[in-house]
Amino acid sequence: MFNHRFVCVKYIKKIVLVVAFFTVLHSCSTKKDTLINRNFHALTTKYNVLFNGKVSFKKGLDALNNEYKDDWFKQLLVEPIKFEEDKFIISPKYSGIGGGFDTNKNEVKKATTPFGIAEEKAVKAIQKHGMNINSEERNRQIDDAYLLLGKSRYYEQRFIPAIEAFNYIISNYQKASLIYETKIWRAKANIRIDNEELAIESLKLLLDIRDQVENISDLVKEEAHTALAMAYVKTDSLQKAKEQLIKATQTLKNKHQAARNLFILGQMYTAENKKDSALLVFNKLIDFKRAPYKYKMHANIELAKNSINDSTSTIILKKMNKLIKNSDNKEYLDALYYQVGFLHQKNDSVDLAKEYYKKSLRAKSSGNKQRTFTYQKLGDISFKDSEYLLASSYYDSVLAIATDTLDIRIRRIKRKHRNLASLIKFENTLATNDSILRIAALTKPEQETFFQKYIDNLKKKDEEAAQLKLNQQAFGASFGGNSLQSNNKGKWYFYNSQSLSFGKAEFKKNWGDRKLEDNWRWSSKASENVAETDSIQENKVNLRYDLASYLKTIPTDKGVIDTLTTDRNQALYELGIIYKEQFKNPKLAIEKLERVNTLNTNKDLILPINWHLYNVYKDLGDDKSNKYKNVILTDYPKTKFAQVIKNPNKPSEEEISVNEIEELYKKVYHLYKDDKFKETIESIDKALPTVKNSKLIAKFELLKAYAVGKFKDREAYKAAMDFVAVSYGNTEEGKQAKRIVQQLSNSK
């Protein structure tokens, strides 16, 4: 009886296993439209194939987000991805109809990228678990698979195949839960292939149908408005883009994109100089609790740029200083210090501004882009204060680290720096020659006293530097694991045998064996057993303390001193012209020109110096101009300068256009080329009143001077060229005339 029951149980188990096997086998079929089949394939698709695909997709998306670096100095991209311009793939990886892949093709190269793997998983879900029965998909997860397929292709920059996948969902899954999201992704793909009009039309249709809008979630609406803003930005319709961003930021469902949209909206208001609106938007972003921290911090930084008045600046300054004290904000210190400096500069606290700009440069987080702005601010302050050498060094720092050389801001700095180059050259000549001539003018005892004082100061500085170096070497590692005092913590230096031995060795290495006595550092105190290399080094160093070597450098030859004096005076004159014409700084122009006027011995410079001083004082409305005018009229009555003073040319009532001036110049130039020099001069004299305010006037004057040289004497030619050189010294024509005048003077 017992055996019979055992056999029956065993038999029943086999039957159950067989039934279960055939049930599972039957449910695996994609051709049977049963509850079991539908649920089996839906669950397998969702929790197996698609799950793995979405994990890989997220991995790829995270990598993209981590690699992408925003340029906070420019308007951010709506979608934080920068696709490669030359990587535009049209052909799909899986070709054919039905969403852009051939369902019969199984031999495909295995994907290696996260998005490629996600695409493979999506294709596998569609091929193995799709239940297209009677032209209707019965697996409710297949639309998710197609969406994953399209999104993966989108991020791999394969936009046409991505659109095919999105279109397949829209055509075949009208009632799918992801239909609206799919339409948004299709629009984004169209934007990427420069089909913005179609994208705008489809998105507006999506948002304008009332019955449809009622079924759309706030998150999807945000995404649709964001995509529309992206399309309008690409078509440069910034006003419409701004309208869409305003709508997109009403609900703030997607914390990352919502924060980004708010920041971009604030940037747009800033660009339009609508500071009140910008402040409101940035404050809204700061108060948005779920916003990523980087957006909040940069929103705080943007507040400083949009401060309206002193009271606003004071409030923002307090906020900036509070953020600076927060140790969590170390990576933002360069920008925070910069903005504090900017606010102080705006409040006319220039010294405080410079202090914070320098702190910005010293911040460990300081990036090159931020440093270019900081160096520029310091350069502009120095330039405004007429500290041109310092300004040039700051501009030089900007150009040394700038990467975007085509940026209009960098190009302007480059021009400014180039203009300062000649000024620096002449300032250096002036400083060097002034110093040499001043020392050369001293008596022998005065020269010895001067250099001895210099040597004593040099010795003191060298001794302090050597002692500092010695201390650093002895104690530099005291805070690390290899500290010399690690075994003697809390002991004085001279009680620490390791540190003491190290210090003695370093001292001997640098100074050799010396007795403990006064003036121990002098070369004469070195013992004879110092190594040969140390002796050579000692001699080299001590040449800096040798009074005789300095006295030998002072020029005594009259010819050398005269050359130094001439170069110094020429530098003074050139600086006066640069400050007058190029930098519009009458104070420094007068300072240089009046000084050279008292020092000058070159007769050729007397007339131009007086001419420029006359013009500077006249422009200032100062009666001192009469003094220099009288010199010109009395001593140089027949020159062009005197004629201009007596009969200044008046511009014609109707100035002719640039094109007409160019045509006029061509006609005059042809006269010159045809050797009609007298007619050339007459034509130019007739044209000068009408081209007085033109940039081409220097060309006319130079051509006239050339014509004068062709049929008049040498002195007339030199006078004509001299007029061009003086009047238009900063132009290419003026420089050319100056070279000719120099050649004429040297060939007398």
Side-chain angles (χ1 to χ4, degrees):
M1 184 71 177
F2 178 78
N3 289 335
H4 178 69
R5 287 179 181 175
F6 179 76
V7 171
C8 287
V9 171
K10 204 171 179 184
Y11 181 71
I12 291 167
K13 284 183 178 180
K14 286 182 179 180
I15 293 171
V16 170
L17 287 172
V18 170
V19 170
F21 173 76
F22 281 105
T23 301
V24 171
L25 188 65
H26 179 74
S27 65
C28 286
S29 174
T30 58
K31 304 299 180 183
K32 300 287 185 180
D33 186 12
T34 65
L35 180 63
I36 294 176
N37 290 55
R38 290 196 300 271
N39 286 330
F40 174 81
H41 285 287
L43 289 170
T44 305
T45 303
K46 182 175 181 179
Y47 293 109
N48 185 5
V49 188
L50 274 188
F51 176 81
N52 292 327
K54 288 178 179 179
V55 168
S56 184
F57 178 84
K58 186 178 183 303
K59 182 180 177 182
L61 194 57
D62 289 342
L64 272 181
N65 290 333
N66 292 333
E67 289 171 7
Y68 183 80
K69 301 298 180 185
D70 281 304
D71 186 347
W72 299 95
F73 298 93
K74 296 179 180 179
Q75 184 174 303
L76 300 187
L77 298 176
V78 177
E79 188 177 36
I81 297 169
K82 194 170 182 73
F83 290 114
E84 298 173 32
E85 293 294 332
D86 57 346
K87 184 187 174 186
F88 180 63
I89 304 170
I90 296 177
S91 59
K93 182 178 176 182
Y94 302 94
S95 61
I97 61 171
F101 63 88
D102 185 355
T103 54
N104 296 318
K105 186 173 181 179
N106 294 318
E107 293 183 8
V108 180
K109 187 177 179 181
K110 195 166 182 65
T112 55
T113 65
F115 292 122
I117 294 169
E119 182 179 354
E120 279 187 350
K121 297 298 182 184
V123 170
K124 182 179 178 182
I126 294 164
Q127 288 179 339
K128 292 193 174 183
H129 299 287
M131 297 180 67
N132 195 320
I133 301 171
N134 297 326
S135 300
E136 185 178 355
E137 180 59 56
R138 305 302 291 170
N139 184 346
R140 61 183 178 274
Q141 294 296 322
I142 296 302
D143 58 335
D144 292 65
Y146 274 110
L147 183 59
L148 178 63
L149 176 67
K151 287 160 67 175
S152 300
R153 290 172 173 176
Y154 178 88
Y155 284 116
E156 283 204 319
Q157 211 164 332
R158 296 165 52 232
F159 303 118
I160 300 298
I163 291 171
E164 288 181 3
F166 297 137
N167 280 336
Y168 192 77
I169 300 174
I170 294 166
S171 300
N172 296 280
Y173 301 92
Q174 286 292 329
K175 295 181 181 180
S177 60
L178 300 173
I179 190 70
Y180 304 128
E181 185 180 350
T182 304
K183 289 180 178 180
I184 293 168
W185 276 96
R186 182 180 65 175
K188 288 169 63 175
N190 275 313
I191 293 168
R192 293 296 180 181
I193 59 172
D194 299 326
N195 202 352
E196 300 91 2
E197 291 77 9
L198 181 59
I200 291 168
E201 183 183 346
S202 63
L203 288 168
K204 287 174 75 174
L205 188 64
L206 174 67
L207 292 167
D208 287 347
I209 299 174
R210 180 172 296 179
D211 294 338
Q212 185 170 271
V213 171
E214 290 175 356
N215 296 322
I216 299 177
S217 66
D218 287 340
L219 177 60
V220 174
K221 286 179 187 175
E222 275 186 26
E223 291 174 351
H225 288 301
T226 300
L228 266 173
M230 193 166 87
Y232 283 128
V233 167
K234 195 166 182 184
T235 58
D236 291 325
S237 304
L238 297 184
Q239 191 61 34
K240 290 182 178 179
K242 191 170 67 176
E243 291 170 4
Q244 294 303 320
L245 287 172
I246 291 170
K247 292 177 181 178
T249 53
Q250 288 175 350
T251 50
L252 308 178
K253 293 293 182 182
N254 182 336
K255 64 179 183 179
H256 291 281
Q257 191 61 54
R260 192 174 191 83
N261 289 346
L262 280 169
F263 192 86
I264 296 169
L265 184 57
Q267 287 182 311
M268 287 181 172
Y269 282 127
T270 301
E272 294 174 344
N273 202 30
K274 295 180 179 178
K275 295 188 175 182
D276 285 323
S277 300
L279 287 173
L280 286 172
V281 173
F282 287 124
N283 277 314
K284 183 178 179 180
L285 175 52
I286 292 165
D287 296 335
F288 179 25
K289 292 182 180 179
R290 296 188 302 118
Y293 194 65
K294 64 178 180 179
Y295 291 109
K296 285 175 172 282
M297 281 304 303
H298 282 285
N300 275 297
I301 291 165
E302 291 295 320
L303 289 180
K305 297 179 184 178
N306 291 280
S307 60
I308 304 167
N309 47 45
D310 292 343
S311 60
T312 310
S313 295
T314 303
I315 294 169
I316 296 172
L317 263 175
K318 288 181 180 178
K319 183 176 283 191
M320 292 287 112
N321 286 318
K322 188 176 179 181
L323 291 170
I324 287 170
K325 291 176 183 177
N326 188 340
S327 59
D328 292 335
N329 299 328
K330 287 181 180 179
E331 64 177 292
Y332 303 103
L333 280 178
D334 57 338
L336 290 171
Y337 281 134
Y338 175 85
Q339 294 304 333
V340 172
F342 172 77
L343 289 171
H344 282 307
Q345 186 180 358
K346 194 173 181 181
N347 295 336
D348 294 326
S349 302
V350 179
D351 290 336
L352 267 175
K354 289 195 288 188
E355 181 184 333
Y356 276 94
Y357 287 144
K358 289 174 182 177
K359 283 183 178 181
S360 175
L361 292 172
R362 291 194 295 268
K364 291 182 179 179
S365 60
S366 185
N368 280 351
K369 190 72 174 281
Q370 178 63 69
R371 291 167 74 86
T372 64
F373 282 92
T374 310
Y375 278 127
Q376 182 184 354
K377 283 289 185 186
L378 288 167
D380 291 343
I381 290 172
S382 300
F383 191 91
K384 188 177 180 181
D385 292 342
S386 301
E387 297 176 337
Y388 297 113
L389 293 176
L390 185 58
S392 179
S393 67
Y394 283 128
Y395 294 143
D396 187 57
S397 297
V398 174
L399 299 176
I401 60 177
T403 53
D404 188 1
T405 55
L406 297 178
D407 184 87
I408 189 168
R409 179 179 68 92
I410 300 300
R411 291 209 305 268
R412 285 173 180 167
I413 293 171
K414 191 178 288 186
R415 283 198 300 270
K416 213 169 186 179
H417 182 259
R418 191 164 52 243
N419 291 338
L420 284 165
S422 56
L423 180 143
I424 291 167
K425 171 190 168 186
F426 291 122
E427 283 285 8
N428 287 336
T429 300
L430 175 61
T432 303
N433 289 17
D434 258 348
S435 178
I436 295 171
L437 290 170
R438 186 171 61 253
I439 296 170
L442 298 174
T443 62
K444 191 75 171 178
E446 288 174 335
Q447 290 174 351
E448 290 176 355
T449 302
F450 175 84
F451 282 116
Q452 188 59 55
K453 186 177 179 181
Y454 172 77
I455 291 169
D456 291 341
N457 287 332
L458 191 63
K459 286 178 181 178
K460 185 179 179 182
K461 288 179 181 178
D462 286 351
E463 185 178 351
E464 289 172 353
Q467 188 62 50
L468 178 63
K469 182 180 178 182
L470 188 62
N471 292 342
Q472 288 172 339
Q473 290 171 334
F475 299 106
S478 61
F479 297 102
N482 296 324
S483 171
L484 292 173
Q485 302 185 51
S486 58
N487 297 323
N488 297 277
K489 291 182 180 178
K491 293 184 178 181
W492 188 39
Y493 171 78
F494 291 101
Y495 294 158
N496 187 318
S497 57
Q498 261 188 319
S499 299
L500 191 60
S501 298
F502 181 81
K504 285 180 177 179
E506 284 298 313
F507 181 88
K508 189 173 181 179
K509 179 181 176 182
N510 290 327
W511 299 95
D513 291 330
R514 303 203 172 200
K515 292 181 181 179
L516 180 60
E517 59 183 355
D518 291 340
N519 301 319
W520 56 267
R521 63 186 179 281
W522 289 8
S523 59
S524 58
K525 302 294 181 180
S527 62
E528 295 179 359
N529 61 347
V530 179
E532 184 179 351
T533 55
D534 288 341
S535 178
I536 294 171
Q537 183 180 0
E538 187 70 25
N539 288 335
K540 284 183 180 178
V541 171
N542 285 313
L543 285 176
R544 299 168 69 229
Y545 309 149
D546 185 20
L547 179 62
S549 65
Y550 288 102
L551 294 173
K552 287 178 183 177
T553 62
I554 303 171
T556 55
D557 183 76
K558 187 177 182 302
V560 174
I561 292 174
D562 287 346
T563 301
L564 289 168
T565 303
T566 301
D567 291 345
R568 188 269 315 275
N569 293 347
Q570 187 66 35
L572 272 170
Y573 171 72
E574 297 291 349
L575 286 168
I577 305 304
I578 291 170
Y579 287 130
K580 170 182 173 275
E581 296 182 4
Q582 202 164 319
F583 296 119
K584 310 299 179 188
N585 191 325
K587 181 182 177 183
L588 285 177
I590 289 170
E591 177 188 312
K592 304 299 181 186
L593 289 170
E594 287 196 334
R595 185 181 173 206
V596 74
N597 201 32
T598 59
L599 297 172
N600 176 55
T601 55
N602 183 355
K603 293 181 180 179
D604 292 336
L605 284 181
I606 296 173
L607 175 58
I609 289 171
N610 281 275
W611 169 254
H612 286 297
L613 283 168
Y614 160 72
N615 279 291
V616 174
Y617 280 118
K618 186 184 74 171
D619 291 341
L620 292 174
D622 195 321
D623 290 339
K624 284 186 179 179
S625 62
N626 293 326
K627 171 185 174 182
Y628 303 102
K629 179 178 76 173
N630 292 333
V631 171
I632 296 169
L633 294 176
T634 303
D635 298 341
Y636 306 92
K638 295 182 179 180
T639 62
K640 182 72 178 283
F641 301 97
Q643 293 172 22
V644 170
I645 293 173
K646 292 176 183 177
N647 303 301
N649 289 326
K650 295 181 181 180
S652 61
E653 293 182 3
E654 295 182 4
E655 293 184 359
I656 57 179
S657 68
V658 174
N659 289 336
E660 289 177 311
I661 293 174
E662 289 177 351
E663 289 299 320
L664 180 59
Y665 181 79
K666 287 178 183 177
K667 290 178 182 178
V668 176
Y669 183 73
H670 284 305
L671 286 174
Y672 176 82
K673 292 293 287 182
D674 292 338
D675 296 336
K676 298 178 180 178
F677 305 119
K678 188 174 182 180
E679 290 89 336
T680 300
I681 294 170
E682 290 173 353
S683 297
I684 291 174
D685 284 337
K686 186 178 179 181
L688 281 176
T690 62
V691 300
K692 187 174 182 180
N693 296 326
S694 168
K695 292 181 180 179
L696 295 178
I697 188 170
K699 286 184 176 293
F700 280 94
E701 290 283 12
L702 181 62
L703 186 60
K704 178 183 174 181
Y706 279 129
V708 167
K710 292 295 183 179
F711 79 104
K712 290 191 177 182
D713 59 26
R714 179 191 180 90
E715 288 304 316
Y717 178 49
K718 184 174 180 295
M721 280 294 174
D722 197 39
F723 179 79
V724 178
V726 173
S727 301
Y728 311 101
N730 285 327
T731 65
E732 287 301 318
E733 292 77 18
K735 292 174 183 176
Q736 176 65 18
K738 195 181 294 184
R739 286 191 288 270
I740 293 171
V741 170
Q742 189 67 37
Q743 290 170 2
L744 291 170
S745 299
N746 294 337
S747 60
K748 284 183 179 179

